[in-house]
Amino acid sequence: MPRLLLLAIIAAAALAAPFYFYSVTLMTIMCFVVFACSFNLLLGYTGLLCFGHAMFFGGAAYVTGYLLKTTSLSTELAVLAGGAAAGVLGALIGFLTMKRQGIQFAMITLAFSQFIYFVFLQAPFTGGEDGMQAIPRNALFGVVDITSNLTFYYVVLAITALCVFVYYRVVHSPYGEVLKAVRDNQPRVESLGLDPEKIKLVAFIISAAMAGIAGGMKATVYQFATLTDASWPISGEVILMTLLGGLGTLTGPVFGAAIIILLNDYLAGFGEWALVSQGVIFLVVIVFFRRGFVGELAAFKRYLARRSARHGTAAAPGAKTAEARG
Amino acid sequence: MNASAAVLPRDNVAAGADNVLEARGLTKVFGGFAAVKGVNLAVRRGSIHALIGPNGAGKTTCFNLLTKTLVPTEGRILFDGEDISSLRTSEVARRGLVRSFQISATFPNLTARENVRVALQSSFGTAYHFWRSLRAVAPLNARADELLEQVGLAGSRDTPAAELSYGKKRALEIATTLALEPRVMLLDEPTAGMGHEDVEPITDLIRNAAVGRTVLLVEHNLSVVSTLCDKITVLQYGQVLAEGNYAEVSNDPAVVTAYMGGVDE
C-alpha cells in the first residue's frame, strides 16, 4: 500500500510540476530519464558498456524530425517511428558487435557511433552543421493541438511514464531474470542451454529503441535536431547520469538524469565551469559513492534498518537523506 | 604405455551401446603443444566416472573438450551415439549433457531460488518473454524449491547467492544443474578449495544426484574418488595412463610412479 501511495504522490507532483517549474527544463529531464533508463538496461542489467548510445538518440531525433517536417504523421507516431528506426539500427549494430565484450564492445560501439555521426554530418536531409530546424508538433492523434509547451508537457509525461513502465516490466520479467544471470555469469548461462548472445542482443535492441524514443521526444520538445544529439559527449553524459543515479537500480536513471540536467541548467551561466563541476561530481561519485545516488540511499536505509533492529529504536530516515547525495 | 593406450579403444567400442559418452582420438593442440593427445574415453551409462592425473596431465583440457568449451583439434565426441563434435555448449546442454565449473558458478546477485529458476526457464520457454511479469514463471517455483530442498538449501531460498557459504554455493550449483534433468553431469573438481568438513556433504550430494544418471568428474582429491567412483581414468602428459576401478588403478605401477615420482610441473 505505501508503494501505491508513493506512486500517487509522484503522479500528482508530475501533473502539477509545469505550474511551478519551467516546462521545457522538465521535458528535457524526462527525455534524459528515458535515455538513461535505456542505458541502465544495458550497463546495469546486461553488463554491456555501449559507448555510442548517442547514435540511437540522435539518429531517432532526425528520423522523427524528418517525418514531422515532410509528412502529416501525428507527433506520437513520429516519435514511435524514431524509436523503431533506432531499434532497427540497434539490431544491425548489435548483430555485428555482440560477440565482443568489455572494452572491445565499448570501443566498437564508439566507432560505429562516430561513423553514424559523420554520415549525419554529410547527409543532406539532416541539415549538416545547421541542424534540422523548425520541426512542427503535428496534432496528437491527428486531432489534439499540442503546440503549447504546457499541453505538450503532458504528452511527454505520458510517453515517459509508458517508457519507464516498459523498462520496469523488462527488468522484472522472466527475461529480466535471465538477463541478470547473463550479467552475473555468462558462461554458466550458456552451460544451462541458453544462448547469451541472443539474450544480450534482445536487450540491445530494446535499449536502442528506447533511446530512440528519448531522442524523438527531444526533437519535438526543442523542435530541432542537431549533430550534438548524435555526438559522443551525449554518449558520455548518459553514462554519467546512469552511474550518478546508481548502476542497476530501478530508479537510479531518473535521479541521475534530473541531477545532471538541473546542474547543467543552474551552472549554465558559469560557462566552462559547468563542465568542470560535472567532472568534480563525477570523480566524487566514482571515489566515494560507488553505488550512486539511489544505491547509496538504499544502503543507508538498510543500515538504519539493521541499527534499529539492533537497538530496538526507530531512527528518523527522512532527515538523513541529504547525506547520501553525491 | 603407448601399447596400453592403443588397446583401450577396442575394449570401449566393444561395449558400444552402453556408453553414454565417448571420445575417440581426442586431441587438442595449443600453439604446437599437445595438451591432449589421442585420448579415448568411454563413459558407461549410469556410472560415476572420474578423470584424474597429476597437474598438467590435461584433465581440464579434456574436460573442456567434452563440454564443448574448447574445440578439439582432432577426434570425435559421441553423446548417446550422436556426434556432438561440432555443437556448442548450449546445444549439448539442451540435449542433456550439462557441465559445472571449477569456481562456483552461481549468479551472485540472484537469490537461490532465482538461480535455479533461470535453469528451469531454459526448457520452460519463457527466457525471452520480456513483456510478462514474473507471475509467468511462478509455476516453476515449486520445482525450484524442491530442488533446493534436495540439496539442503530450503532455508536459503531467498538469500542472494553471493551471501551463501562456499559449500552452499556448490550445493546451489548442483541444484541448478539438476534443474536441467541432465542425462550426464560433468563436474569440474567439485570439492576444489573446500574445507575438510565440506567435502563429505558434497560427496553425498553427488552420490544422490547421480541416481538415474551418469556423472563424469575431474577430481584432485583421491579419497573422494575412491569412495564415489565406479571407474577411473588416469591421464598423464595428455594421454591415458591407466583405467579401471580404484583398486586396479591405485595398484598400477605406472600410476604409482606418476603420482609419487614427482612429475608435477
Side-chain angles (χ1 to χ4, degrees), chain A residues 215-229:
Chain A
M217 280 204 297
K218 185 167 181 262
T220 51
V221 168
Y222 284 89
Q223 302 193 270
F224 60 75
T226 65
L227 277 171
T228 315
D229 295 337

mmCIF file with all atom_site columns, all heavy atoms in Angstrom, chain A residues 215-229:
data_model
loop_
_atom_site.group_PDB
_atom_site.id
_atom_site.type_symbol
_atom_site.label_atom_id
_atom_site.label_alt_id
_atom_site.label_comp_id
_atom_site.label_asym_id
_atom_site.label_entity_id
_atom_site.label_seq_id
_atom_site.pdbx_PDB_ins_code
_atom_site.Cartn_x
_atom_site.Cartn_y
_atom_site.Cartn_z
_atom_site.occupancy
_atom_site.B_iso_or_equiv
_atom_site.pdbx_formal_charge
_atom_site.auth_seq_id
_atom_site.auth_comp_id
_atom_site.auth_asym_id
_atom_site.auth_atom_id
_atom_site.pdbx_PDB_model_num
ATOM 1   N N   . GLY A 1 215 ? 15.216 10.273 -27.982 1.00 0.00 ? 215 GLY A N   1
ATOM 2   C CA  . GLY A 1 215 ? 15.727 11.223 -28.972 1.00 0.00 ? 215 GLY A CA  1
ATOM 3   C C   . GLY A 1 215 ? 14.598 11.874 -29.756 1.00 0.00 ? 215 GLY A C   1
ATOM 4   O O   . GLY A 1 215 ? 14.611 13.084 -30.003 1.00 0.00 ? 215 GLY A O   1
ATOM 5   N N   . GLY A 1 216 ? 13.608 11.062 -30.126 1.00 0.00 ? 216 GLY A N   1
ATOM 6   C CA  . GLY A 1 216 ? 12.460 11.585 -30.855 1.00 0.00 ? 216 GLY A CA  1
ATOM 7   C C   . GLY A 1 216 ? 11.701 12.614 -30.026 1.00 0.00 ? 216 GLY A C   1
ATOM 8   O O   . GLY A 1 216 ? 11.290 13.666 -30.528 1.00 0.00 ? 216 GLY A O   1
ATOM 9   N N   . MET A 1 217 ? 11.562 12.315 -28.734 1.00 0.00 ? 217 MET A N   1
ATOM 10  C CA  . MET A 1 217 ? 10.894 13.272 -27.839 1.00 0.00 ? 217 MET A CA  1
ATOM 11  C C   . MET A 1 217 ? 11.660 14.583 -27.779 1.00 0.00 ? 217 MET A C   1
ATOM 12  O O   . MET A 1 217 ? 11.084 15.662 -27.821 1.00 0.00 ? 217 MET A O   1
ATOM 13  C CB  . MET A 1 217 ? 10.781 12.683 -26.425 1.00 0.00 ? 217 MET A CB  1
ATOM 14  C CG  . MET A 1 217 ? 9.640  11.705 -26.266 1.00 0.00 ? 217 MET A CG  1
ATOM 15  S SD  . MET A 1 217 ? 9.102  11.555 -24.555 1.00 0.00 ? 217 MET A SD  1
ATOM 16  C CE  . MET A 1 217 ? 10.544 10.905 -23.763 1.00 0.00 ? 217 MET A CE  1
ATOM 17  N N   . LYS A 1 218 ? 12.982 14.467 -27.670 1.00 0.00 ? 218 LYS A N   1
ATOM 18  C CA  . LYS A 1 218 ? 13.787 15.676 -27.544 1.00 0.00 ? 218 LYS A CA  1
ATOM 19  C C   . LYS A 1 218 ? 13.637 16.552 -28.799 1.00 0.00 ? 218 LYS A C   1
ATOM 20  O O   . LYS A 1 218 ? 13.545 17.777 -28.686 1.00 0.00 ? 218 LYS A O   1
ATOM 21  C CB  . LYS A 1 218 ? 15.254 15.325 -27.309 1.00 0.00 ? 218 LYS A CB  1
ATOM 22  C CG  . LYS A 1 218 ? 16.076 16.572 -27.063 1.00 0.00 ? 218 LYS A CG  1
ATOM 23  C CD  . LYS A 1 218 ? 17.451 16.306 -26.520 1.00 0.00 ? 218 LYS A CD  1
ATOM 24  C CE  . LYS A 1 218 ? 18.184 17.607 -26.278 1.00 0.00 ? 218 LYS A CE  1
ATOM 25  N NZ  . LYS A 1 218 ? 19.097 17.996 -27.347 1.00 0.00 ? 218 LYS A NZ  1
ATOM 26  N N   . ALA A 1 219 ? 13.598 15.889 -29.971 1.00 0.00 ? 219 ALA A N   1
ATOM 27  C CA  . ALA A 1 219 ? 13.437 16.650 -31.219 1.00 0.00 ? 219 ALA A CA  1
ATOM 28  C C   . ALA A 1 219 ? 12.115 17.409 -31.236 1.00 0.00 ? 219 ALA A C   1
ATOM 29  O O   . ALA A 1 219 ? 12.031 18.520 -31.767 1.00 0.00 ? 219 ALA A O   1
ATOM 30  C CB  . ALA A 1 219 ? 13.519 15.706 -32.417 1.00 0.00 ? 219 ALA A CB  1
ATOM 31  N N   . THR A 1 220 ? 11.085 16.817 -30.633 1.00 0.00 ? 220 THR A N   1
ATOM 32  C CA  . THR A 1 220 ? 9.788  17.503 -30.647 1.00 0.00 ? 220 THR A CA  1
ATOM 33  C C   . THR A 1 220 ? 9.689  18.543 -29.529 1.00 0.00 ? 220 THR A C   1
ATOM 34  O O   . THR A 1 220 ? 8.963  19.512 -29.647 1.00 0.00 ? 220 THR A O   1
ATOM 35  C CB  . THR A 1 220 ? 8.629  16.491 -30.515 1.00 0.00 ? 220 THR A CB  1
ATOM 36  O OG1 . THR A 1 220 ? 8.889  15.643 -29.401 1.00 0.00 ? 220 THR A OG1 1
ATOM 37  C CG2 . THR A 1 220 ? 8.474  15.665 -31.755 1.00 0.00 ? 220 THR A CG2 1
ATOM 38  N N   . VAL A 1 221 ? 10.431 18.331 -28.433 1.00 0.00 ? 221 VAL A N   1
ATOM 39  C CA  . VAL A 1 221 ? 10.420 19.322 -27.351 1.00 0.00 ? 221 VAL A CA  1
ATOM 40  C C   . VAL A 1 221 ? 11.090 20.613 -27.820 1.00 0.00 ? 221 VAL A C   1
ATOM 41  O O   . VAL A 1 221 ? 10.532 21.693 -27.712 1.00 0.00 ? 221 VAL A O   1
ATOM 42  C CB  . VAL A 1 221 ? 11.138 18.771 -26.101 1.00 0.00 ? 221 VAL A CB  1
ATOM 43  C CG1 . VAL A 1 221 ? 11.384 19.893 -25.090 1.00 0.00 ? 221 VAL A CG1 1
ATOM 44  C CG2 . VAL A 1 221 ? 10.328 17.653 -25.463 1.00 0.00 ? 221 VAL A CG2 1
ATOM 45  N N   . TYR A 1 222 ? 12.304 20.483 -28.376 1.00 0.00 ? 222 TYR A N   1
ATOM 46  C CA  . TYR A 1 222 ? 13.063 21.669 -28.805 1.00 0.00 ? 222 TYR A CA  1
ATOM 47  C C   . TYR A 1 222 ? 12.684 22.120 -30.212 1.00 0.00 ? 222 TYR A C   1
ATOM 48  O O   . TYR A 1 222 ? 13.074 23.191 -30.649 1.00 0.00 ? 222 TYR A O   1
ATOM 49  C CB  . TYR A 1 222 ? 14.564 21.387 -28.742 1.00 0.00 ? 222 TYR A CB  1
ATOM 50  C CG  . TYR A 1 222 ? 15.097 21.405 -27.338 1.00 0.00 ? 222 TYR A CG  1
ATOM 51  C CD1 . TYR A 1 222 ? 15.102 20.252 -26.564 1.00 0.00 ? 222 TYR A CD1 1
ATOM 52  C CD2 . TYR A 1 222 ? 15.580 22.589 -26.763 1.00 0.00 ? 222 TYR A CD2 1
ATOM 53  C CE1 . TYR A 1 222 ? 15.571 20.270 -25.262 1.00 0.00 ? 222 TYR A CE1 1
ATOM 54  C CE2 . TYR A 1 222 ? 16.046 22.613 -25.466 1.00 0.00 ? 222 TYR A CE2 1
ATOM 55  C CZ  . TYR A 1 222 ? 16.041 21.460 -24.721 1.00 0.00 ? 222 TYR A CZ  1
ATOM 56  O OH  . TYR A 1 222 ? 16.503 21.500 -23.438 1.00 0.00 ? 222 TYR A OH  1
ATOM 57  N N   . GLN A 1 223 ? 11.994 21.259 -30.908 1.00 0.00 ? 223 GLN A N   1
ATOM 58  C CA  . GLN A 1 223 ? 11.589 21.481 -32.298 1.00 0.00 ? 223 GLN A CA  1
ATOM 59  C C   . GLN A 1 223 ? 12.778 21.664 -33.225 1.00 0.00 ? 223 GLN A C   1
ATOM 60  O O   . GLN A 1 223 ? 12.682 22.306 -34.259 1.00 0.00 ? 223 GLN A O   1
ATOM 61  C CB  . GLN A 1 223 ? 10.608 22.650 -32.388 1.00 0.00 ? 223 GLN A CB  1
ATOM 62  C CG  . GLN A 1 223 ? 9.375  22.370 -31.518 1.00 0.00 ? 223 GLN A CG  1
ATOM 63  C CD  . GLN A 1 223 ? 8.248  23.309 -31.795 1.00 0.00 ? 223 GLN A CD  1
ATOM 64  O OE1 . GLN A 1 223 ? 8.132  24.351 -31.186 1.00 0.00 ? 223 GLN A OE1 1
ATOM 65  N NE2 . GLN A 1 223 ? 7.382  22.922 -32.731 1.00 0.00 ? 223 GLN A NE2 1
ATOM 66  N N   . PHE A 1 224 ? 13.920 21.136 -32.817 1.00 0.00 ? 224 PHE A N   1
ATOM 67  C CA  . PHE A 1 224 ? 15.031 20.991 -33.766 1.00 0.00 ? 224 PHE A CA  1
ATOM 68  C C   . PHE A 1 224 ? 15.901 19.820 -33.357 1.00 0.00 ? 224 PHE A C   1
ATOM 69  O O   . PHE A 1 224 ? 15.886 19.381 -32.205 1.00 0.00 ? 224 PHE A O   1
ATOM 70  C CB  . PHE A 1 224 ? 15.850 22.285 -33.908 1.00 0.00 ? 224 PHE A CB  1
ATOM 71  C CG  . PHE A 1 224 ? 16.486 22.780 -32.641 1.00 0.00 ? 224 PHE A CG  1
ATOM 72  C CD1 . PHE A 1 224 ? 17.623 22.154 -32.111 1.00 0.00 ? 224 PHE A CD1 1
ATOM 73  C CD2 . PHE A 1 224 ? 15.988 23.903 -31.990 1.00 0.00 ? 224 PHE A CD2 1
ATOM 74  C CE1 . PHE A 1 224 ? 18.218 22.625 -30.955 1.00 0.00 ? 224 PHE A CE1 1
ATOM 75  C CE2 . PHE A 1 224 ? 16.576 24.371 -30.832 1.00 0.00 ? 224 PHE A CE2 1
ATOM 76  C CZ  . PHE A 1 224 ? 17.682 23.739 -30.312 1.00 0.00 ? 224 PHE A CZ  1
ATOM 77  N N   . ALA A 1 225 ? 16.616 19.282 -34.343 1.00 0.00 ? 225 ALA A N   1
ATOM 78  C CA  . ALA A 1 225 ? 17.524 18.169 -34.097 1.00 0.00 ? 225 ALA A CA  1
ATOM 79  C C   . ALA A 1 225 ? 18.902 18.584 -34.595 1.00 0.00 ? 225 ALA A C   1
ATOM 80  O O   . ALA A 1 225 ? 19.010 19.158 -35.671 1.00 0.00 ? 225 ALA A O   1
ATOM 81  C CB  . ALA A 1 225 ? 17.049 16.921 -34.821 1.00 0.00 ? 225 ALA A CB  1
ATOM 82  N N   . THR A 1 226 ? 19.924 18.341 -33.767 1.00 0.00 ? 226 THR A N   1
ATOM 83  C CA  . THR A 1 226 ? 21.258 18.777 -34.183 1.00 0.00 ? 226 THR A CA  1
ATOM 84  C C   . THR A 1 226 ? 22.264 17.631 -34.090 1.00 0.00 ? 226 THR A C   1
ATOM 85  O O   . THR A 1 226 ? 21.975 16.574 -33.525 1.00 0.00 ? 226 THR A O   1
ATOM 86  C CB  . THR A 1 226 ? 21.779 19.905 -33.273 1.00 0.00 ? 226 THR A CB  1
ATOM 87  O OG1 . THR A 1 226 ? 21.945 19.359 -31.963 1.00 0.00 ? 226 THR A OG1 1
ATOM 88  C CG2 . THR A 1 226 ? 20.829 21.065 -33.217 1.00 0.00 ? 226 THR A CG2 1
ATOM 89  N N   . LEU A 1 227 ? 23.436 17.899 -34.639 1.00 0.00 ? 227 LEU A N   1
ATOM 90  C CA  . LEU A 1 227 ? 24.515 16.906 -34.593 1.00 0.00 ? 227 LEU A CA  1
ATOM 91  C C   . LEU A 1 227 ? 24.926 16.594 -33.159 1.00 0.00 ? 227 LEU A C   1
ATOM 92  O O   . LEU A 1 227 ? 25.374 15.495 -32.863 1.00 0.00 ? 227 LEU A O   1
ATOM 93  C CB  . LEU A 1 227 ? 25.728 17.437 -35.360 1.00 0.00 ? 227 LEU A CB  1
ATOM 94  C CG  . LEU A 1 227 ? 25.695 17.233 -36.872 1.00 0.00 ? 227 LEU A CG  1
ATOM 95  C CD1 . LEU A 1 227 ? 26.843 17.986 -37.516 1.00 0.00 ? 227 LEU A CD1 1
ATOM 96  C CD2 . LEU A 1 227 ? 25.769 15.760 -37.212 1.00 0.00 ? 227 LEU A CD2 1
ATOM 97  N N   . THR A 1 228 ? 24.771 17.590 -32.263 1.00 0.00 ? 228 THR A N   1
ATOM 98  C CA  . THR A 1 228 ? 25.138 17.381 -30.861 1.00 0.00 ? 228 THR A CA  1
ATOM 99  C C   . THR A 1 228 ? 24.454 16.143 -30.285 1.00 0.00 ? 228 THR A C   1
ATOM 100 O O   . THR A 1 228 ? 25.055 15.388 -29.537 1.00 0.00 ? 228 THR A O   1
ATOM 101 C CB  . THR A 1 228 ? 24.724 18.611 -30.020 1.00 0.00 ? 228 THR A CB  1
ATOM 102 O OG1 . THR A 1 228 ? 25.114 19.765 -30.729 1.00 0.00 ? 228 THR A OG1 1
ATOM 103 C CG2 . THR A 1 228 ? 25.356 18.582 -28.650 1.00 0.00 ? 228 THR A CG2 1
ATOM 104 N N   . ASP A 1 229 ? 23.170 15.947 -30.669 1.00 0.00 ? 229 ASP A N   1
ATOM 105 C CA  . ASP A 1 229 ? 22.413 14.813 -30.126 1.00 0.00 ? 229 ASP A CA  1
ATOM 106 C C   . ASP A 1 229 ? 23.038 13.472 -30.498 1.00 0.00 ? 229 ASP A C   1
ATOM 107 O O   . ASP A 1 229 ? 22.819 12.471 -29.821 1.00 0.00 ? 229 ASP A O   1
ATOM 108 C CB  . ASP A 1 229 ? 20.965 14.846 -30.650 1.00 0.00 ? 229 ASP A CB  1
ATOM 109 C CG  . ASP A 1 229 ? 20.224 16.068 -30.151 1.00 0.00 ? 229 ASP A CG  1
ATOM 110 O OD1 . ASP A 1 229 ? 20.635 16.620 -29.118 1.00 0.00 ? 229 ASP A OD1 1
ATOM 111 O OD2 . ASP A 1 229 ? 19.238 16.468 -30.805 1.00 0.00 ? 229 ASP A OD2 1
#
